Amino acid sequence: MRGLSQRKPPPPPSPQVAVGYFNTRLVPTANIALIGARMRHRAEGWGYAWGGTYLDHRPSSDTVDALIRRAARDPDIWVIVVPDHAHLPAGRALLCTGTSLVRVVDVGSDDGTPRPPQQIPAYP
């Protein structure tokens, strides 16, 4: 009888990722690192892996477009964390990546708590 080959266990699922976004023109320069650290701490407390922070420095910046492109390339990005509602990218609480919708949540809310693991499809 031939030996049974052992199957490798499936790889663990990729962690759900949160990224940060804020408009630096709305906060004092001295607070930028503190705000970024607070956003990361909050996202990790919700159970997300941290994917970095997008800083919007100029009124005509393409930062929101870069954020959407990244979320479109990386399906593990499930939430965008902002310091407060004044920082909503393009004024929206949901960003469409073309294939899914990514929630934008305020660091002070409980909206970022992971829901049952599923993405929001952009087109049902």
Side-chain angles (χ1 to χ4, degrees):
M1 182 164 112
R2 205 172 193 198
L4 297 175
S5 63
Q6 293 192 4
R7 288 187 177 181
K8 290 183 182 178
S14 299
Q16 298 169 3
V17 176
V19 295
Y21 168 87
F22 68 91
N23 185 332
T24 60
R25 298 178 310 278
L26 299 178
V27 298
T29 304
N31 292 346
I32 290 175
L34 179 64
I35 290 169
R38 182 173 179 226
M39 291 172 14
R40 179 181 182 157
H41 177 74
R42 186 68 165 149
E44 289 174 345
W46 284 328
Y48 292 100
W50 188 245
T53 304
Y54 285 77
L55 303 176
D56 205 345
H57 297 290
R58 298 182 314 269
S60 61
S61 175
D62 293 327
T63 307
V64 174
D65 291 336
L67 179 59
I68 292 170
R69 284 191 307 271
R70 164 111 185 266
R73 282 190 322 269
D74 187 348
D76 292 330
I77 294 177
W78 284 31
V79 70
I80 298 166
V81 182
V82 297
D84 58 50
H85 288 295
H87 295 267
L88 291 176
R92 297 179 283 178
L94 286 173
L95 291 180
C96 182
T97 68
T99 58
S100 65
L101 297 175
V102 179
R103 291 182 299 139
V104 182
V105 297
D106 181 326
V107 72
S109 75
D110 286 328
D111 293 342
T113 305
R115 297 189 171 113
Q118 62 184 21
Q119 287 182 306
I120 306 168
Y123 307 101

